[in-house]
Amino acid sequence: MKYTAVIFDLDGVICSTDNYHYLAWKVLAEEEGIYFDREINHRLRGVSRMESLEIILERASRAYAGEEKAAMAERKNLIYNVLLEQMTPADLPGEVANVLHTLKQSDVKIAIGSSSKNARTILQRIGLDHAFDEISDGTNISHSKPNPEVFLKAAKMLGEQPEDCLVVEDAKAGIAAAVAGGFDSAGIGEAAEEEGVTYPLGAFRDLLGIVLG
Ligand code: B16
Ligand code: MG
């Protein structure tokens, strides 16, 4: 076995919640008359809620006070949570479910390493609330990716060293966080092209060959 544990990012790796993030931010942006599109939304992957808002406000025509920003982030989260109510176990891809099951059967520890404060809600909606050994998410970190804190905390919770864990990511910020923390990484989609990625993943199931060797 090449790795004793695998730390999975959530949004864009286990399930696809990026469209809900887009739709919720779009409501806010339109209310404020700020230009926002899917390309800008792409830059929000793996980045915290407040940092996402700062990226959106780059296009604003006026400055926003701290309390206004906090209220906007809270409102976005309320809209996002309403959208999340549509999610069901059908939103968990079968290939992902199979890989998680095989890793568990092979005694590989699995954890979540997500910037989201809604990670537990999402996992519950897709039927994975008891699937992971540990969950490190936006509720237990002070620094968002590309800071490695979320992955270092996940490794610590698992009782593993970074070099024994593989991080699976879809975002530039996530691969940078893995590199900064001393983790090998597997990159999905565009993250497969990122500098520093250890394994570009063609298909999710390729993880099994990498981890179980
Ligand atoms: P929340 P990940 C990230 O999830 C999303 O990719 C990013 O777009 C979002 O801003 C961030 O979570 C915070 O989410 O508002 O729910 O706390 O990719 O790290 O699983
Ligand atoms: Mg992600």
Side-chain angles (χ1 to χ4, degrees), residues 31-103:
E31 281 174 357
E32 297 297 320
I34 301 169
Y35 179 78
F36 178 64
D37 62 16
R38 288 191 184 271
E39 207 177 313
I40 299 171
N41 188 63
H42 210 61
R43 290 173 56 205
L44 313 184
R45 288 171 314 140
V47 172
S48 75
R49 197 179 308 160
M50 284 312 286
E51 286 165 304
S52 297
L53 177 60
E54 294 294 347
I55 291 171
I56 291 165
L57 292 180
E58 286 171 7
R59 298 286 194 122
S61 51
R62 69 171 177 92
Y64 284 77
E67 314 86 74
E68 276 182 296
K69 289 184 194 174
M72 286 167 84
E74 194 181 328
R75 180 156 155 67
K76 180 268 176 176
N77 192 47
L78 287 173
I79 299 166
Y80 179 61
N81 270 267
V82 170
L83 294 168
L84 289 182
E85 285 173 21
Q86 299 168 44
M87 291 190 91
T88 71
D91 290 297
L92 172 66
E95 191 179 357
V96 173
N98 286 339
V99 166
L100 295 178
H101 182 72
T102 306
L103 290 175

Side-chain angles (χ1 to χ4, degrees), residues 9-13 15 45-47 113-115 145 168-171 174:
D9 171 55
L10 182 60
D11 174 37
V13 169
C15 61
R45 288 171 314 140
V47 172
S114 165
S115 300
K145 301 167 190 174
V168 187
E169 260 290 348
D170 71 310

Side-chain angles (χ1 to χ4, degrees), residues 1 7 10 13 25 31 66 75 81 92 96 111 115 139 152-153 155 160 172 184 193-194 196 199 205 213:
M1 200 150 68
I7 304 172
L10 182 60
V13 169
W25 282 125
E31 281 174 357
R75 180 156 155 67
N81 270 267
L92 172 66
V96 173
S115 300
T139 64
L152 290 171
K153 289 223 164 134
E160 298 288 339
K172 184 185 180 76
D184 283 355
E193 316 283 322
E194 284 303 327
Y199 308 99
R205 62 181 167 279

Side-chain angles (χ1 to χ4, degrees), residues 8 14 100 110-112 123 128-135:
F8 292 89
I14 298 294
L100 295 178
I110 57 175
I112 286 288
L123 290 171
L128 288 185
D129 34 349
H130 300 297
F132 292 90
D133 296 298
E134 299 292 346
I135 296 171

